[in-house]
Structure formats: C-alpha cells, structure tokens
Amino acid sequence: MSLVKLSIKGISYSQTQNGAYALILNEVDGDRKLPIVIGAFEAQSIAIALEKEIKPPRPLTHDLFKNFADRFDIVIKQVIIHKLVDGVFYSSMICERDKIEEIIDARTSDAIALALRFNAPIFTYKNILDKAGIYLKINPETENQEEDEAILTTPETFGLEETSDKQNAFAKLSLSELHEMLEQAVQDEDYEKAAKVRDEISKRES
C-alpha cells in the first residue's frame, strides 16, 4: 500500500461545545482533507506546538516526552496513520535509537503532537484517505478568508468543557441523508460535524 504525506492545516472550532475539536490534515499532493476529532487537551498541545513563539511555563506532557527522548537520544522519524476502524484512527510512531528502529503504537492525537515537536513527517495509507478524506468545494477567491475564519491555532481559544455522552444523532438518518449532511457540513467549514458524519457513513459502508 502506498503512503500519502499529510500536512497540518490547523484545528477547527467545536461547533457543539462538547469538548471535542477537529484536527485538519491536508493531503500534500492533492486536494483532500482528513478531519480527525480530538480532545481538548490534545488540541491545546498541538496548537502550542504550531505556535512556535508560545512557550508554556512548565512542560506539557508531550514536551516532557520530547525532553525525555532527547536525553536518551531517541528520535521520532515519522508518524503513520495506519488503520481506521469504526471511526477511530490508529497510528504508529517510527522511532530510532542507536540506528535501531522501533514501532510504537499511539493515539493519533498524541502521535501528531509529538511529530510536531520532532519535526517528523506524517503519513497515511492511500486506502484510508480514499475512505475518510473529504473534498472542499471552495471558491478560490474566498478560500483563504473562509479557512482562516474556520481554523485556528491559538491555544487560548480552547476550553476544557466536559464531553457529554450523547447518543449518535445520525443513527436514524439514511445514507443519502448522511451524504447530504456531509456535503453541507463541508460547505459550512464545520469540520467536526463532517468528521462525525463521515465516520457514520464509513461504519455503514464497511
């Protein structure tokens, strides 16, 4: 299976204020975006890593891991999002120490937070991007403005709301209704909703 390189576009606002955020990954040599729903702490950690000038007074968990790895000459060479099951992305970190490589399983949000700190590239497999990637139909004249309004990287904007255990609101909808909802969510730049609708579609079509 061929690997596809991804870049980080940013993190979208939570439209439902339930403590979840959507991390937006771009296909480097294509037009698809891969939204991944992550928690508030991970979103804050990624946002701090994206904002190079912001330094927390004490190391965050991912900063501590980076300091620990540096002390023992461990390097994260790349991160691979290698599996998608029931809307959950699974990732691996390819690490190296003394020219010996090890593969370590990790949550995707943690793997990406660390990839940023190690300047490590992020990849996924083509079949995962085919299944979970979304296309944005945006007018080129307004693309930058619309995306800037929808995506943020400033850590102060992240609240720590508790996640509610709501039932899946999409379970009663038909596939055609879900596809219409996905298209509308993409047009509205509501990445979090788009990711959840896409995951519901993937579960039914798998």
Side-chain angles (χ1 to χ4, degrees):
M1 290 183 289
S2 60
L3 288 173
V4 179
K5 190 173 183 179
L6 303 171
S7 63
I8 297 174
K9 176 63 180 178
I11 303 168
S12 74
Y13 285 107
S14 171
Q15 301 295 323
T16 56
Q17 295 299 311
N18 66 353
Y21 300 85
L23 172 67
I24 314 302
L25 302 177
N26 277 348
E27 180 183 15
V28 170
D29 295 321
D31 300 322
R32 287 175 292 186
K33 285 180 169 55
L34 190 67
I36 299 175
V37 176
I38 62 176
F41 172 78
E42 292 79 11
Q44 184 183 56
S45 180
I46 290 170
I48 287 174
L50 289 170
E51 292 288 337
K52 302 296 185 183
E53 297 180 359
I54 297 178
K55 300 292 183 184
R58 300 292 296 153
L60 299 177
T61 302
H62 298 110
D63 298 319
L64 175 61
F65 186 100
K66 174 64 163 60
N67 294 340
F68 181 90
D70 287 345
R71 184 66 59 90
F72 292 94
D73 297 322
I74 300 169
V75 176
I76 294 178
K77 298 182 66 177
Q78 62 183 13
V79 164
I80 300 176
I81 303 171
H82 63 85
K83 187 167 65 173
L84 173 61
V85 178
D86 294 334
V88 178
F89 292 90
Y90 292 77
S91 294
S92 295
M93 300 185 301
I94 313 301
C95 305
E96 183 180 84
R97 181 173 183 266
D98 293 334
K99 298 183 179 180
I100 299 174
E101 286 193 357
E102 297 285 349
I103 300 175
I104 299 177
D105 181 46
R107 295 188 307 166
T108 297
S109 55
D110 289 329
I112 290 174
L114 289 169
L116 281 169
R117 287 163 170 81
F118 282 87
N119 294 316
I122 302 165
F123 298 93
T124 191
Y125 289 109
K126 183 179 181 298
N127 65 322
I128 293 178
L129 195 58
D130 290 341
K131 183 178 181 180
I134 59 175
Y135 286 95
L136 295 186
K137 299 177 181 178
I138 298 177
N139 185 332
E141 295 180 358
T142 61
E143 178 178 0
N144 292 336
Q145 178 182 352
E146 291 179 0
E147 290 198 359
D148 287 344
E149 291 174 354
I151 295 176
L152 58 129
T153 57
T154 306
E156 287 85 352
T157 59
F158 295 106
L160 295 176
E161 308 91 346
E162 293 187 4
T163 302
S164 60
D165 295 325
K166 292 200 260 184
Q167 292 183 343
N168 189 340
F170 311 125
K172 297 180 181 179
L173 299 177
S174 67
L175 269 176
S176 60
E177 289 173 325
L178 287 171
H179 281 289
E180 289 178 6
M181 184 179 289
L182 175 60
E183 184 174 348
Q184 186 61 51
V186 169
Q187 291 176 357
D188 294 342
E189 298 272 338
D190 187 347
Y191 291 106
E192 182 194 1
K193 184 176 180 180
K196 291 178 179 178
V197 175
R198 176 210 62 204
D199 292 344
E200 178 68 21
I201 293 172
S202 295
K203 283 193 288 186
R204 296 194 194 183
E205 292 182 341
S206 60

